[in-house]
Short mmCIF file of all heavy atoms in Angstrom, two decimals:
data_model
loop_
_atom_site.label_atom_id
_atom_site.label_comp_id
_atom_site.label_asym_id
_atom_site.label_seq_id
_atom_site.Cartn_x
_atom_site.Cartn_y
_atom_site.Cartn_z
N MET A 1 -4.41 24.14 -64.68
CA MET A 1 -2.96 24.02 -64.53
C MET A 1 -2.49 22.60 -64.88
O MET A 1 -3.20 21.64 -64.59
CB MET A 1 -2.55 24.36 -63.10
CG MET A 1 -1.05 24.28 -62.86
SD MET A 1 -0.60 24.90 -61.25
CE MET A 1 -0.47 26.64 -61.62
N ILE A 2 -1.34 22.52 -65.48
CA ILE A 2 -0.77 21.21 -65.88
C ILE A 2 -0.16 20.51 -64.66
O ILE A 2 0.50 21.14 -63.83
CB ILE A 2 0.29 21.43 -66.99
CG1 ILE A 2 -0.40 21.91 -68.26
CG2 ILE A 2 1.09 20.15 -67.25
CD1 ILE A 2 0.55 22.34 -69.35
N CYS A 3 -0.39 19.22 -64.56
CA CYS A 3 0.17 18.43 -63.46
C CYS A 3 1.70 18.44 -63.52
O CYS A 3 2.28 18.10 -64.54
CB CYS A 3 -0.35 17.00 -63.55
SG CYS A 3 0.42 15.89 -62.35
N PRO A 4 2.37 18.82 -62.38
CA PRO A 4 3.84 18.86 -62.39
C PRO A 4 4.47 17.47 -62.44
O PRO A 4 5.66 17.34 -62.68
CB PRO A 4 4.19 19.57 -61.09
CG PRO A 4 2.96 19.63 -60.28
CD PRO A 4 1.78 19.30 -61.15
N ARG A 5 3.69 16.42 -62.17
CA ARG A 5 4.26 15.08 -62.17
C ARG A 5 4.12 14.36 -63.51
O ARG A 5 5.08 13.80 -64.02
CB ARG A 5 3.63 14.23 -61.05
CG ARG A 5 4.39 12.93 -60.83
CD ARG A 5 4.08 12.31 -59.50
NE ARG A 5 2.89 11.47 -59.59
CZ ARG A 5 2.42 10.74 -58.58
NH1 ARG A 5 3.03 10.76 -57.41
NH2 ARG A 5 1.34 10.02 -58.71
N CYS A 6 2.87 14.39 -64.08
CA CYS A 6 2.67 13.63 -65.32
C CYS A 6 2.33 14.52 -66.52
O CYS A 6 2.09 14.01 -67.62
CB CYS A 6 1.59 12.58 -65.12
SG CYS A 6 -0.08 13.25 -65.03
N ALA A 7 2.26 15.84 -66.32
CA ALA A 7 1.98 16.80 -67.39
C ALA A 7 0.58 16.68 -67.98
O ALA A 7 0.30 17.18 -69.06
CB ALA A 7 3.04 16.74 -68.49
N ASN A 8 -0.32 16.01 -67.26
CA ASN A 8 -1.71 15.94 -67.70
C ASN A 8 -2.37 17.31 -67.54
O ASN A 8 -2.11 18.03 -66.58
CB ASN A 8 -2.45 14.90 -66.82
CG ASN A 8 -3.90 14.76 -67.19
OD1 ASN A 8 -4.27 14.78 -68.36
ND2 ASN A 8 -4.74 14.61 -66.19
N GLU A 9 -3.22 17.68 -68.50
CA GLU A 9 -3.85 19.00 -68.45
C GLU A 9 -5.13 19.04 -67.63
O GLU A 9 -5.62 20.10 -67.27
CB GLU A 9 -4.14 19.50 -69.87
CG GLU A 9 -2.87 20.02 -70.54
CD GLU A 9 -3.14 20.60 -71.90
OE1 GLU A 9 -4.27 21.04 -72.16
OE2 GLU A 9 -2.21 20.60 -72.72
N LYS A 10 -5.70 17.87 -67.34
CA LYS A 10 -6.95 17.84 -66.57
C LYS A 10 -6.67 17.72 -65.08
O LYS A 10 -6.44 16.65 -64.54
CB LYS A 10 -7.83 16.67 -67.05
CG LYS A 10 -8.92 17.10 -67.99
CD LYS A 10 -10.07 16.12 -67.98
CE LYS A 10 -11.38 16.87 -68.02
NZ LYS A 10 -12.53 16.03 -67.83
N THR A 11 -6.70 18.89 -64.42
CA THR A 11 -6.50 18.91 -62.97
C THR A 11 -7.62 19.75 -62.38
O THR A 11 -8.24 20.54 -63.07
CB THR A 11 -5.13 19.52 -62.60
OG1 THR A 11 -5.08 20.86 -63.08
CG2 THR A 11 -3.98 18.72 -63.20
N SER A 12 -7.90 19.54 -61.10
CA SER A 12 -8.98 20.31 -60.49
C SER A 12 -8.56 20.93 -59.17
O SER A 12 -7.65 20.46 -58.51
CB SER A 12 -10.20 19.41 -60.30
OG SER A 12 -9.86 18.31 -59.51
N VAL A 13 -9.27 22.00 -58.81
CA VAL A 13 -9.02 22.69 -57.54
C VAL A 13 -9.92 22.05 -56.48
O VAL A 13 -11.13 22.01 -56.64
CB VAL A 13 -9.32 24.20 -57.66
CG1 VAL A 13 -9.18 24.89 -56.32
CG2 VAL A 13 -8.39 24.85 -58.69
N LYS A 14 -9.31 21.54 -55.43
CA LYS A 14 -10.07 20.88 -54.37
C LYS A 14 -10.41 21.83 -53.23
O LYS A 14 -11.39 21.65 -52.54
CB LYS A 14 -9.28 19.67 -53.82
CG LYS A 14 -9.06 18.57 -54.84
CD LYS A 14 -10.38 17.96 -55.26
CE LYS A 14 -10.19 16.93 -56.36
NZ LYS A 14 -11.49 16.52 -56.95
N LYS A 15 -9.57 22.80 -53.00
CA LYS A 15 -9.79 23.74 -51.91
C LYS A 15 -9.05 25.04 -52.19
O LYS A 15 -7.96 25.02 -52.73
CB LYS A 15 -9.30 23.12 -50.59
CG LYS A 15 -9.73 23.87 -49.35
CD LYS A 15 -9.43 23.04 -48.10
CE LYS A 15 -9.68 23.80 -46.81
NZ LYS A 15 -11.02 24.39 -46.67
N THR A 16 -9.67 26.18 -51.83
CA THR A 16 -9.02 27.48 -51.98
C THR A 16 -9.01 28.19 -50.64
O THR A 16 -10.04 28.31 -49.99
CB THR A 16 -9.77 28.36 -53.01
OG1 THR A 16 -9.77 27.69 -54.26
CG2 THR A 16 -9.10 29.71 -53.17
N MET A 17 -7.82 28.60 -50.22
CA MET A 17 -7.67 29.36 -48.99
C MET A 17 -7.40 30.81 -49.40
O MET A 17 -6.35 31.12 -49.96
CB MET A 17 -6.52 28.79 -48.15
CG MET A 17 -6.87 27.44 -47.55
SD MET A 17 -5.46 26.31 -47.40
CE MET A 17 -5.48 25.52 -49.02
N LYS A 18 -8.41 31.69 -49.16
CA LYS A 18 -8.32 33.06 -49.66
C LYS A 18 -7.64 34.01 -48.69
O LYS A 18 -7.71 33.84 -47.49
CB LYS A 18 -9.73 33.58 -49.98
CG LYS A 18 -10.33 32.91 -51.19
CD LYS A 18 -11.63 33.55 -51.59
CE LYS A 18 -12.13 32.90 -52.88
NZ LYS A 18 -13.42 33.49 -53.30
N GLY A 19 -7.01 35.03 -49.25
CA GLY A 19 -6.34 36.04 -48.45
C GLY A 19 -5.68 37.02 -49.39
O GLY A 19 -6.11 37.15 -50.53
N PHE A 20 -4.62 37.70 -48.93
CA PHE A 20 -3.88 38.58 -49.83
C PHE A 20 -3.17 37.77 -50.91
O PHE A 20 -2.81 38.27 -51.95
CB PHE A 20 -2.90 39.47 -49.06
CG PHE A 20 -3.60 40.50 -48.25
CD1 PHE A 20 -3.62 40.43 -46.86
CD2 PHE A 20 -4.29 41.55 -48.86
CE1 PHE A 20 -4.30 41.37 -46.11
CE2 PHE A 20 -4.97 42.50 -48.12
CZ PHE A 20 -4.98 42.41 -46.73
N LYS A 21 -2.95 36.50 -50.58
CA LYS A 21 -2.59 35.58 -51.65
C LYS A 21 -3.47 34.35 -51.46
O LYS A 21 -3.77 33.95 -50.33
CB LYS A 21 -1.09 35.26 -51.63
CG LYS A 21 -0.68 34.22 -50.63
CD LYS A 21 0.81 34.04 -50.58
CE LYS A 21 1.13 33.15 -49.37
NZ LYS A 21 2.55 33.07 -49.09
N ASN A 22 -3.93 33.79 -52.56
CA ASN A 22 -4.77 32.60 -52.50
C ASN A 22 -3.90 31.35 -52.65
O ASN A 22 -3.05 31.29 -53.52
CB ASN A 22 -5.81 32.62 -53.62
CG ASN A 22 -6.87 33.67 -53.39
OD1 ASN A 22 -6.95 34.26 -52.32
ND2 ASN A 22 -7.68 33.90 -54.39
N THR A 23 -4.14 30.42 -51.76
CA THR A 23 -3.46 29.13 -51.86
C THR A 23 -4.48 28.10 -52.29
O THR A 23 -5.59 28.03 -51.73
CB THR A 23 -2.84 28.73 -50.51
OG1 THR A 23 -1.99 29.78 -50.07
CG2 THR A 23 -2.03 27.46 -50.63
N ARG A 24 -4.17 27.34 -53.31
CA ARG A 24 -5.11 26.35 -53.81
C ARG A 24 -4.53 24.95 -53.71
O ARG A 24 -3.36 24.73 -54.01
CB ARG A 24 -5.48 26.65 -55.27
CG ARG A 24 -6.29 27.90 -55.42
CD ARG A 24 -6.98 27.95 -56.76
NE ARG A 24 -7.99 29.00 -56.75
CZ ARG A 24 -7.77 30.24 -57.16
NH1 ARG A 24 -6.63 30.56 -57.68
NH2 ARG A 24 -8.72 31.15 -57.10
N LEU A 25 -5.40 24.04 -53.30
CA LEU A 25 -5.05 22.62 -53.27
C LEU A 25 -5.57 22.02 -54.57
O LEU A 25 -6.76 22.07 -54.84
CB LEU A 25 -5.71 21.96 -52.06
CG LEU A 25 -5.44 20.47 -51.86
CD1 LEU A 25 -3.98 20.22 -51.51
CD2 LEU A 25 -6.34 19.94 -50.76
N ARG A 26 -4.66 21.49 -55.36
CA ARG A 26 -5.03 20.95 -56.67
C ARG A 26 -4.76 19.45 -56.74
O ARG A 26 -3.88 18.95 -56.07
CB ARG A 26 -4.23 21.65 -57.77
CG ARG A 26 -4.55 23.12 -57.89
CD ARG A 26 -3.65 23.78 -58.92
NE ARG A 26 -3.88 25.20 -58.98
CZ ARG A 26 -4.76 25.79 -59.80
NH1 ARG A 26 -5.45 25.08 -60.64
NH2 ARG A 26 -4.93 27.09 -59.78
N LYS A 27 -5.54 18.82 -57.60
CA LYS A 27 -5.35 17.39 -57.78
C LYS A 27 -5.41 17.03 -59.26
O LYS A 27 -6.27 17.53 -59.99
CB LYS A 27 -6.45 16.63 -57.01
CG LYS A 27 -6.18 15.14 -56.96
CD LYS A 27 -7.29 14.41 -56.22
CE LYS A 27 -7.03 12.92 -56.25
NZ LYS A 27 -8.15 12.15 -55.72
N CYS A 28 -4.50 16.16 -59.65
CA CYS A 28 -4.48 15.68 -61.03
C CYS A 28 -5.52 14.57 -61.20
O CYS A 28 -5.59 13.65 -60.39
CB CYS A 28 -3.09 15.15 -61.36
SG CYS A 28 -2.99 14.39 -62.99
N GLU A 29 -6.33 14.68 -62.25
CA GLU A 29 -7.38 13.69 -62.49
C GLU A 29 -6.81 12.37 -63.00
O GLU A 29 -7.46 11.33 -62.92
CB GLU A 29 -8.40 14.23 -63.51
CG GLU A 29 -9.08 15.53 -63.10
CD GLU A 29 -10.02 15.37 -61.92
OE1 GLU A 29 -10.59 14.28 -61.77
OE2 GLU A 29 -10.16 16.33 -61.13
N LYS A 30 -5.60 12.43 -63.51
CA LYS A 30 -5.02 11.23 -64.13
C LYS A 30 -4.18 10.41 -63.14
O LYS A 30 -4.43 9.23 -62.93
CB LYS A 30 -4.17 11.65 -65.33
CG LYS A 30 -3.74 10.51 -66.23
CD LYS A 30 -2.97 11.08 -67.41
CE LYS A 30 -2.23 9.99 -68.17
NZ LYS A 30 -1.33 10.57 -69.18
N CYS A 31 -3.18 11.05 -62.52
CA CYS A 31 -2.27 10.29 -61.66
C CYS A 31 -2.58 10.47 -60.17
O CYS A 31 -1.98 9.80 -59.33
CB CYS A 31 -0.81 10.66 -61.95
SG CYS A 31 -0.31 12.28 -61.35
N GLY A 32 -3.49 11.38 -59.84
CA GLY A 32 -3.89 11.56 -58.45
C GLY A 32 -2.94 12.40 -57.62
O GLY A 32 -3.12 12.54 -56.41
N TYR A 33 -1.93 13.00 -58.26
CA TYR A 33 -0.97 13.83 -57.54
C TYR A 33 -1.67 15.07 -56.97
O TYR A 33 -2.52 15.68 -57.61
CB TYR A 33 0.15 14.24 -58.51
CG TYR A 33 1.27 15.02 -57.88
CD1 TYR A 33 2.09 14.43 -56.92
CD2 TYR A 33 1.53 16.33 -58.27
CE1 TYR A 33 3.13 15.15 -56.36
CE2 TYR A 33 2.59 17.05 -57.71
CZ TYR A 33 3.38 16.45 -56.76
OH TYR A 33 4.41 17.16 -56.20
N VAL A 34 -1.33 15.42 -55.73
CA VAL A 34 -1.91 16.57 -55.06
C VAL A 34 -0.80 17.57 -54.77
O VAL A 34 0.28 17.20 -54.32
CB VAL A 34 -2.60 16.12 -53.73
CG1 VAL A 34 -3.04 17.32 -52.91
CG2 VAL A 34 -3.78 15.22 -54.04
N TRP A 35 -1.06 18.87 -55.06
CA TRP A 35 -0.05 19.90 -54.79
C TRP A 35 -0.72 21.24 -54.50
O TRP A 35 -1.92 21.39 -54.70
CB TRP A 35 0.96 20.00 -55.93
CG TRP A 35 0.48 20.69 -57.17
CD1 TRP A 35 0.75 21.97 -57.55
CD2 TRP A 35 -0.33 20.14 -58.22
NE1 TRP A 35 0.15 22.23 -58.76
CE2 TRP A 35 -0.52 21.14 -59.19
CE3 TRP A 35 -0.94 18.89 -58.42
CZ2 TRP A 35 -1.29 20.93 -60.34
CZ3 TRP A 35 -1.70 18.69 -59.57
CH2 TRP A 35 -1.85 19.70 -60.52
N LEU A 36 0.07 22.18 -54.01
CA LEU A 36 -0.44 23.50 -53.66
C LEU A 36 0.08 24.54 -54.64
O LEU A 36 1.22 24.46 -55.09
CB LEU A 36 0.01 23.89 -52.24
CG LEU A 36 -0.57 23.09 -51.07
CD1 LEU A 36 0.18 23.45 -49.79
CD2 LEU A 36 -2.04 23.35 -50.88
N THR A 37 -0.77 25.51 -54.96
CA THR A 37 -0.30 26.64 -55.76
C THR A 37 -0.66 27.92 -55.03
O THR A 37 -1.58 27.95 -54.21
CB THR A 37 -0.95 26.67 -57.16
OG1 THR A 37 -2.36 26.74 -57.03
CG2 THR A 37 -0.58 25.45 -57.97
N GLU A 38 0.09 28.99 -55.33
CA GLU A 38 -0.18 30.29 -54.75
C GLU A 38 -0.53 31.28 -55.85
O GLU A 38 0.11 31.30 -56.89
CB GLU A 38 1.06 30.82 -54.01
CG GLU A 38 1.31 30.14 -52.69
CD GLU A 38 2.52 30.69 -51.97
OE1 GLU A 38 3.31 31.44 -52.57
OE2 GLU A 38 2.67 30.36 -50.79
N GLU A 39 -1.54 32.09 -55.58
CA GLU A 39 -1.91 33.15 -56.52
C GLU A 39 -1.78 34.47 -55.78
O GLU A 39 -2.39 34.66 -54.73
CB GLU A 39 -3.35 32.93 -56.97
CG GLU A 39 -3.85 33.97 -57.94
CD GLU A 39 -5.33 33.80 -58.20
OE1 GLU A 39 -5.68 33.01 -59.08
OE2 GLU A 39 -6.13 34.42 -57.49
N LYS A 40 -0.97 35.37 -56.30
CA LYS A 40 -0.76 36.64 -55.62
C LYS A 40 -0.64 37.78 -56.62
O LYS A 40 -0.31 37.54 -57.79
CB LYS A 40 0.48 36.57 -54.71
CG LYS A 40 1.74 36.23 -55.46
CD LYS A 40 2.86 35.88 -54.50
CE LYS A 40 4.06 35.36 -55.28
NZ LYS A 40 5.14 34.90 -54.42
N PRO A 41 -0.90 39.02 -56.17
CA PRO A 41 -0.80 40.15 -57.09
C PRO A 41 0.63 40.34 -57.59
O PRO A 41 1.58 40.25 -56.81
CB PRO A 41 -1.22 41.35 -56.24
CG PRO A 41 -1.90 40.78 -55.07
CD PRO A 41 -1.30 39.42 -54.84
N VAL A 42 0.74 40.56 -58.88
CA VAL A 42 2.04 40.84 -59.49
C VAL A 42 1.90 42.11 -60.31
O VAL A 42 0.98 42.24 -61.11
CB VAL A 42 2.47 39.69 -60.43
CG1 VAL A 42 3.77 40.03 -61.14
CG2 VAL A 42 2.61 38.39 -59.66
N LYS A 43 2.76 43.07 -60.06
CA LYS A 43 2.72 44.27 -60.88
C LYS A 43 4.12 44.82 -61.03
O LYS A 43 4.68 45.38 -60.12
CB LYS A 43 1.79 45.32 -60.26
CG LYS A 43 1.37 46.39 -61.26
CD LYS A 43 0.29 47.27 -60.71
CE LYS A 43 -0.19 48.23 -61.79
NZ LYS A 43 -1.23 49.12 -61.29
N ASP A 44 4.69 44.61 -62.15
CA ASP A 44 6.00 45.18 -62.41
C ASP A 44 6.02 45.68 -63.85
O ASP A 44 5.03 45.60 -64.56
CB ASP A 44 7.13 44.19 -62.12
CG ASP A 44 7.03 42.93 -62.96
OD1 ASP A 44 6.48 42.98 -64.08
OD2 ASP A 44 7.49 41.88 -62.50
N LYS A 45 7.15 46.21 -64.27
CA LYS A 45 7.27 46.83 -65.58
C LYS A 45 6.90 45.86 -66.71
O LYS A 45 6.19 46.24 -67.65
CB LYS A 45 8.71 47.32 -65.75
CG LYS A 45 8.90 48.31 -66.88
CD LYS A 45 10.29 48.93 -66.80
CE LYS A 45 10.63 49.66 -68.08
NZ LYS A 45 11.00 48.76 -69.17
N GLU A 46 7.35 44.63 -66.59
CA GLU A 46 7.07 43.65 -67.64
C GLU A 46 5.58 43.37 -67.78
O GLU A 46 5.07 43.23 -68.88
CB GLU A 46 7.80 42.34 -67.35
CG GLU A 46 9.21 42.33 -67.87
CD GLU A 46 9.90 41.00 -67.62
OE1 GLU A 46 9.22 39.96 -67.73
OE2 GLU A 46 11.10 41.02 -67.32
N ILE A 47 4.89 43.26 -66.64
CA ILE A 47 3.46 42.98 -66.65
C ILE A 47 2.70 44.15 -67.28
O ILE A 47 1.78 43.96 -68.07
CB ILE A 47 2.93 42.70 -65.22
CG1 ILE A 47 3.63 41.49 -64.61
CG2 ILE A 47 1.42 42.52 -65.21
CD1 ILE A 47 3.40 40.18 -65.34
N ILE A 48 3.09 45.38 -66.92
CA ILE A 48 2.44 46.57 -67.47
C ILE A 48 2.62 46.61 -68.99
O ILE A 48 1.68 46.86 -69.73
CB ILE A 48 2.97 47.85 -66.78
CG1 ILE A 48 2.47 47.86 -65.32
CG2 ILE A 48 2.49 49.11 -67.50
CD1 ILE A 48 3.22 48.80 -64.40
N GLU A 49 3.83 46.31 -69.44
CA GLU A 49 4.08 46.27 -70.89
C GLU A 49 3.26 45.17 -71.56
O GLU A 49 2.76 45.35 -72.67
CB GLU A 49 5.58 46.06 -71.16
CG GLU A 49 6.38 47.33 -70.93
CD GLU A 49 7.88 47.10 -70.99
OE1 GLU A 49 8.30 45.95 -71.24
OE2 GLU A 49 8.62 48.07 -70.75
N TYR A 50 3.11 44.05 -70.88
CA TYR A 50 2.32 42.94 -71.43
C TYR A 50 0.85 43.35 -71.55
O TYR A 50 0.20 43.06 -72.56
CB TYR A 50 2.49 41.70 -70.54
CG TYR A 50 1.73 40.49 -71.03
CD1 TYR A 50 1.97 39.96 -72.30
CD2 TYR A 50 0.78 39.88 -70.23
CE1 TYR A 50 1.28 38.86 -72.76
CE2 TYR A 50 0.08 38.77 -70.69
CZ TYR A 50 0.34 38.26 -71.95
OH TYR A 50 -0.36 37.17 -72.39
N LEU A 51 0.33 44.05 -70.52
CA LEU A 51 -1.06 44.54 -70.58
C LEU A 51 -1.26 45.51 -71.73
O LEU A 51 -2.27 45.46 -72.43
CB LEU A 51 -1.45 45.21 -69.25
CG LEU A 51 -1.70 44.28 -68.06
CD1 LEU A 51 -1.96 45.09 -66.80
CD2 LEU A 51 -2.87 43.34 -68.31
N GLU A 52 -0.28 46.40 -71.92
CA GLU A 52 -0.36 47.35 -73.03
C GLU A 52 -0.37 46.62 -74.37
O GLU A 52 -1.09 46.99 -75.29
CB GLU A 52 0.81 48.34 -72.97
CG GLU A 52 0.60 49.38 -71.88
CD GLU A 52 1.84 50.21 -71.58
OE1 GLU A 52 2.91 49.94 -72.18
OE2 GLU A 52 1.75 51.12 -70.75
N TYR A 53 0.41 45.56 -74.46
CA TYR A 53 0.45 44.75 -75.68
C TYR A 53 -0.92 44.09 -75.91
O TYR A 53 -1.45 44.11 -77.02
CB TYR A 53 1.57 43.69 -75.55
CG TYR A 53 1.46 42.57 -76.56
CD1 TYR A 53 1.78 42.79 -77.90
CD2 TYR A 53 1.03 41.31 -76.18
CE1 TYR A 53 1.67 41.76 -78.83
CE2 TYR A 53 0.91 40.28 -77.09
CZ TYR A 53 1.24 40.51 -78.43
OH TYR A 53 1.12 39.50 -79.33
N LEU A 54 -1.52 43.52 -74.85
CA LEU A 54 -2.84 42.89 -74.98
C LEU A 54 -3.90 43.91 -75.40
O LEU A 54 -4.79 43.58 -76.19
CB LEU A 54 -3.25 42.23 -73.65
CG LEU A 54 -2.49 40.96 -73.27
CD1 LEU A 54 -2.97 40.46 -71.90
CD2 LEU A 54 -2.66 39.85 -74.30
N GLU A 55 -3.80 45.14 -74.88
CA GLU A 55 -4.71 46.20 -75.29
C GLU A 55 -4.54 46.51 -76.78
O GLU A 55 -5.51 46.66 -77.51
CB GLU A 55 -4.44 47.47 -74.49
CG GLU A 55 -5.25 47.57 -73.21
CD GLU A 55 -5.02 48.91 -72.54
OE1 GLU A 55 -5.62 49.91 -72.96
OE2 GLU A 55 -4.18 48.95 -71.61
N ASP A 56 -3.29 46.58 -77.21
CA ASP A 56 -2.98 46.89 -78.61
C ASP A 56 -3.58 45.87 -79.57
O ASP A 56 -4.07 46.22 -80.64
CB ASP A 56 -1.46 46.96 -78.83
CG ASP A 56 -0.86 48.24 -78.25
OD1 ASP A 56 -1.65 49.15 -77.91
OD2 ASP A 56 0.37 48.31 -78.14
N ILE A 57 -3.54 44.59 -79.17
CA ILE A 57 -4.06 43.56 -80.07
C ILE A 57 -5.53 43.26 -79.80
O ILE A 57 -6.11 42.36 -80.39
CB ILE A 57 -3.20 42.26 -80.01
CG1 ILE A 57 -3.24 41.64 -78.60
CG2 ILE A 57 -1.78 42.53 -80.48
CD1 ILE A 57 -2.64 40.24 -78.55
N GLY A 58 -6.15 44.03 -78.89
CA GLY A 58 -7.59 43.94 -78.65
C GLY A 58 -8.05 42.78 -77.78
O GLY A 58 -9.22 42.42 -77.79
N GLU A 59 -7.12 42.18 -77.00
CA GLU A 59 -7.52 41.05 -76.16
C GLU A 59 -7.81 41.46 -74.72
O GLU A 59 -8.16 40.62 -73.90
CB GLU A 59 -6.44 39.97 -76.18
CG GLU A 59 -6.41 39.23 -77.50
CD GLU A 59 -5.69 37.89 -77.43
OE1 GLU A 59 -5.36 37.45 -76.33
OE2 GLU A 59 -5.48 37.31 -78.50
N PHE A 60 -7.62 42.74 -74.41
CA PHE A 60 -7.87 43.20 -73.05
C PHE A 60 -8.31 44.65 -73.09
O PHE A 60 -7.76 45.46 -73.82
CB PHE A 60 -6.59 43.07 -72.21
CG PHE A 60 -6.75 43.54 -70.79
CD1 PHE A 60 -7.42 42.77 -69.86
CD2 PHE A 60 -6.21 44.75 -70.39
CE1 PHE A 60 -7.58 43.21 -68.54
CE2 PHE A 60 -6.36 45.20 -69.08
CZ PHE A 60 -7.05 44.42 -68.16
N LYS A 61 -9.39 44.96 -72.32
CA LYS A 61 -9.84 46.34 -72.22
C LYS A 61 -9.84 46.76 -70.76
O LYS A 61 -10.32 46.03 -69.91
CB LYS A 61 -11.26 46.47 -72.78
CG LYS A 61 -11.26 46.63 -74.28
CD LYS A 61 -12.67 46.88 -74.79
CE LYS A 61 -12.68 46.83 -76.31
NZ LYS A 61 -13.91 46.28 -76.84
N LYS A 62 -9.31 47.95 -70.48
CA LYS A 62 -9.28 48.44 -69.10
C LYS A 62 -10.66 48.81 -68.61
O LYS A 62 -11.46 49.31 -69.37
CB LYS A 62 -8.36 49.67 -69.02
CG LYS A 62 -6.92 49.27 -68.70
CD LYS A 62 -6.04 50.52 -68.61
CE LYS A 62 -4.57 50.13 -68.53
NZ LYS A 62 -3.69 51.27 -68.72
ZN1 ZN B 101 -0.69 13.87 -62.96
#
């Protein structure tokens, strides 16, 4: 993930709190900024269409 403060691409995950949504503590390798991200299931019409598109172009197989 790109650092929200300096836009550096080299960031690392320091801690992951797992559950129905995962919360991750991330740190930027360049400026040292620390922030939290959430990862959760997403399923709506747009995502399903996107998956179908990825299947069509051969980048995803069910
Ligand atoms: Zn940064």
